[in-house]
Amino acid sequence: MSPLGVLFAVVFGMFAAAVEGEGIALLGLVLGYSFGALLQLQSRVKRLEHQLAQSALLQTAAPGPAPRTSGAAPAAAPPTLPARPSAPDPIANLQLWTTEPRQSHRPAAAVAGAPRAAGLDSPAMERPSETVLFDKLAGYVKSFFTDGNVVVKVGLLVLFIGVGFLIKYAAEHDLLPIELRAAVIGLAGIALLVVGWRLRHDKGIYALLLQGGGVGVMYVNVFGAAKLYQLIPASAALVIMVALVALSGVLAVLQNAKYLAFYGAAGGFLAPILASTGSGSHVMLFSYYALLNLGIVGIAWFRSWRELNLLGFVFTFAIGMLWGAKYYQPAYFASVEPFLIVFFVFFVTIAILFALRQPPQLKGYVDSSLVFGVPIIAFGLQAALVKDTEYGLAFSALGMSAFYVALASALWRRQLEGMRLLTEAFLAMGVVFGTLAIPLAMDGRWTSVAWALEGAAIVWVGVRQQRVLARAFGVLLQAGSGLFFFQDLHLAVSTVPILNGSYIGALLVSLAGLFSSYYLYQHTDQLRPWERPAHLPLLLWGLCWWFGAGLHEIDEHTVGDILAISWTSMFISGSLLLARYLERRLSWPMLRYPIFGQLYAMLALLGLSMVIGIQHPLADFGWLAWPLAIGTLYYMLYYYRDGVRSSVLQWQHIIGFWFLVVFVSWEASWWAGEHIGGNAWRDATYGLVPALIMLALLRRGRALRWPVAAHFDWYAGYAALPVMALLGLFAFATGTWHEGNPWPVTYIPFANPVDIVVGLIMYLTLLWRHQLRQGLIPMGPWPQPRQVGYASAVIGFFWLNGIIARSVHHWFGIPHDLSALTDSVIFQASISVAWTLTSLSVMFVASRRARRESWFVGLGLFAVVVAKLFVVDISQENELVMIMSLIIVAVLAIVFGYYLSPLPPRSKKEPA
């Protein structure tokens, strides 16, 4: 359990009970304990950091062992380390409890550097005063209720709270004369203060508690006398309270007693709450708090007491928010706005003084709670005040930006020692609020954007100050801001593209994530091992918001699917070109990952274009978008040709080649169908373009230095294989089944678009087979040149039948479908003659080359022809046609038979 948390739990709980009743006291206890525990945890972290620094100092300054020499006199004792001059305490000072000098409880031998029972030690190993302050503070709080003069301690605590309730009770029940009550309470407070001052040398703790209680009692008394009973004018009360603020501050500074100022200020802040009846003037309340904070500013000029600064910050803005939620009306704006500005300036000044008054080794230390907490809270309250004013929040952000930029400029010109970090923080805040002014002028969703930017700033400070919790909080703050922003995204309605709150806000969320990722990546060596990969999710987070914001903007302000796809492609290309520039400029290689994702985005967009029925990819702005995308792709491949793994580049080149084949084929086929007409021209172009590309690749590919010649094996091997396979399927299907109507010209066999393209593919297949056999194209175990030859023969045979079918269809008017063609005697007779020629040709070539398997294939085909002629059903009117075809077949067999050799002998390797 945290003792400091217990103390704050008691104070906050009683404060909450006095303000809202016993029902909310539990919330005050929880908040108070959390606040105190956080302060104690921070002190422990600082103590550990100081111990590490002391250990490093000793290792550097410790003298090495003296060399031993024979016959020499005994070596003199090593000189002791010089005592390090004590620096002002940045956190607290032990003279809080007593003004007497601390006496060392160590034996003289230990002080002189003699060995101790547990080992050797030196005075330098003794912990300085600042490292044991919070240990003593925690021990004091723990022993507050367990040992010592418990009665006095509890009595003082109860006295302070009881005085407030006494004034309130007396006002409600009209007890003793009010003048007498006020005088008695005032004299009691003065008595406590005088007795405490007299005992400051003998009983330090007791004296400081009495002084703090006396100041608190006088606060309550003066405020009650002025507000509840009007015994003294408000102006006189303010003068007395100013005097009390000054008195408590002077006493605290003179005795170097931080917590005297802390208790006095706490009593001053609680006084109007304990004595409140709910009917007072807010102007007087805020004027009183302004005076209290002015006293804290004065103390900050001499002492860097962080706890006192945070006390004023928490009380001022917490009470201000409670009052605003309950009582604020737009009519109060003129009387509330000046106080908000004054409080904002006060605590910014305190943050500067805190960094300026640090000891030399901590000069420039930034209190992030004030540096970043003050603008967040103040801006939130300002938003509530100007919510009904058009562009009020935008002008407020602009004003805060100007304030922070001017402040950073002034600090930079002064060139104060160690103030660079604070100057950079103020400059960052100026940039943040200046950036916020644009989206805030468009719409009012400022909270999420402010959180994201503040989260990035906290990550930056966390890295600079090596604070893990700050870095983790900054990352979580950005995640929460993104979720809240996404929930409100559907509420935005804007007719202006890009210059609207939705897009600029999402862009700022993205930039916050990208900045955090970059800064963590650049300072990986300063991070814990478990948090070093954190820059990767932040990079992904920032990129998702970047591209998501752009795609959402395109979808909202673009009419038509074609135009949306074109703008999307241009947006992605432009973003990746920017990423390439930043990758080189910032030395941030992680940006290569999205760059090499462009190809897959292009494939997705091209596939989407086909699904939604776009006629051709260059429609609308496609003539600009797609060349830009393709140029960007190959520019990236050329730029990173030596800096990326070979496997990544290989697949980028292969898939990019496939993309180009599909893209150019689609556009060319549309152009042929649109400008020539007829299905034959359009469909033939689907095979013509890939065939020409493959022909150029196989014939002239090595002449194109980059990218083909540099990676010829990738293009002619792995990239060409699926293209050639698809071309074979295209030749088989189109050459066999396509009608081949060459309108507007007349159909001529072998001289129409379908047969020309299929013939080109057949030639290309044989060329590919030849280069495979010659080893010019490195391939794996598949395909073998013989397999390619077999496939070519099958495609050629079916292509021959397709030519006959198209000729019969165009010349004799027979419908081009399978049923009509098979019932046609003309078609049957034609394919019989063609098959006979094919079979006999195969047998002739096989006999010349001594290939038994091919010879049997030809013989089998000839047997099929003969059998088909004798079993086909012939009508009387077509009998002459079939007889003539039979005679032709017989004559061909006799003629070829003269040249055919007998069955080739079996080769030695061929099995029986």
Side-chain angles (χ1 to χ4, degrees), residues 328 333 337 340-341 378-401 433 436-446:
Y328 178 74
F333 176 81
E337 178 72 11
L340 179 59
I341 297 175
F379 197 57
L381 294 174
Q382 179 70 8
L385 295 181
V386 300
K387 64 181 180 180
D388 297 326
T389 303
E390 187 177 7
Y391 302 116
L393 200 55
F395 285 116
S396 301
L398 194 61
M400 292 185 72
S401 173
F433 283 106
L436 279 176
I438 297 176
L440 292 177
M442 305 299 176
D443 54 47
R445 289 187 317 279
W446 62 271

Side-chain angles (χ1 to χ4, degrees), residues 176-465:
L176 298 174
I178 186 59
E179 295 83 359
L180 180 61
R181 293 199 299 265
V184 171
I185 294 174
L187 290 175
I190 294 173
L192 289 174
L193 186 62
V194 171
V195 173
W197 177 257
R198 297 274 313 250
L199 296 177
R200 69 186 185 281
H201 295 295
D202 299 328
K203 297 183 178 294
I205 299 176
Y206 185 78
L208 291 175
L209 290 174
L210 289 180
Q211 294 175 52
V215 172
V217 167
M218 286 188 285
Y219 272 133
V220 175
N221 190 41
V222 172
F223 190 87
K227 180 179 179 182
L228 300 180
Y229 308 114
Q230 292 78 39
L231 296 179
I232 56 177
S235 57
L238 288 177
V239 172
I240 296 174
M241 289 181 182
V242 169
L244 290 176
V245 171
L247 177 63
S248 61
V250 169
L251 292 176
V253 172
L254 289 176
Q255 301 175 81
N256 199 17
K258 170 173 56 179
Y259 286 98
L260 174 60
F262 184 89
Y263 292 137
F269 281 109
L270 288 172
I273 305 302
L274 296 175
S276 174
T277 61
S279 58
S281 168
H282 67 277
V283 175
M284 184 174 183
L285 174 66
F286 292 148
S287 300
Y288 170 69
Y289 277 178
L291 292 174
L292 286 179
N293 287 313
L294 183 61
I296 296 176
V297 172
I299 294 175
W301 184 268
F302 299 98
R303 294 286 187 269
S304 56
W305 290 341
R306 185 169 186 266
E307 291 80 357
L308 180 63
N309 301 338
L310 291 178
L311 176 77
F313 172 65
V314 171
F315 268 109
T316 300
F317 287 102
I319 294 174
M321 286 188 288
L322 290 174
W323 176 88
K326 192 171 184 179
Y327 299 108
Y328 178 74
Q329 301 174 10
Y332 294 158
F333 176 81
S335 58
V336 174
E337 178 72 11
F339 287 108
L340 179 59
I341 297 175
V342 168
F343 293 147
F344 170 73
V345 174
F346 275 173
F347 287 102
V348 171
T349 305
I350 289 172
I352 298 174
L353 293 175
F354 179 79
L356 191 62
R357 301 303 178 193
Q358 294 294 321
Q361 66 271 23
L362 294 178
K363 182 71 71 175
Y365 181 83
V366 174
D367 186 356
S368 58
S369 300
L370 290 181
V371 172
F372 298 111
V374 169
I376 291 177
I377 300 300
F379 197 57
L381 294 174
Q382 179 70 8
L385 295 181
V386 300
K387 64 181 180 180
D388 297 326
T389 303
E390 187 177 7
Y391 302 116
L393 200 55
F395 285 116
S396 301
L398 194 61
M400 292 185 72
S401 173
F403 171 79
Y404 274 112
V405 170
L407 191 59
S409 177
L411 291 175
W412 181 262
R413 287 195 302 269
R414 295 281 303 272
Q415 294 292 324
L416 298 174
E417 181 184 359
M419 298 294 285
R420 180 182 177 87
L421 180 60
L422 184 64
T423 303
E424 293 176 353
F426 284 158
L427 181 61
M429 296 302 301
V431 173
V432 165
F433 283 106
T435 308
L436 279 176
I438 297 176
L440 292 177
M442 305 299 176
D443 54 47
R445 289 187 317 279
W446 62 271
T447 306
S448 299
V449 178
W451 284 356
L453 296 174
E454 298 302 331
I458 293 173
V459 169
W460 171 68
V461 172
V463 173
R464 293 291 301 268
Q465 296 186 350

Side-chain angles (χ1 to χ4, degrees), residues 667-708:
E667 183 65 29
S669 64
W670 172 84
W671 189 92
E674 186 73 14
H675 295 85
I676 300 177
N679 294 336
W681 296 98
R682 181 197 62 198
D683 298 341
T685 308
Y686 279 113
L688 176 64
V689 172
L692 291 176
I693 293 175
M694 286 303 304
L695 183 62
L697 176 65
L698 297 178
R699 283 292 189 185
R700 306 296 299 171
R702 296 185 184 275
L704 184 60
R705 181 179 303 176
W706 192 92
V708 179

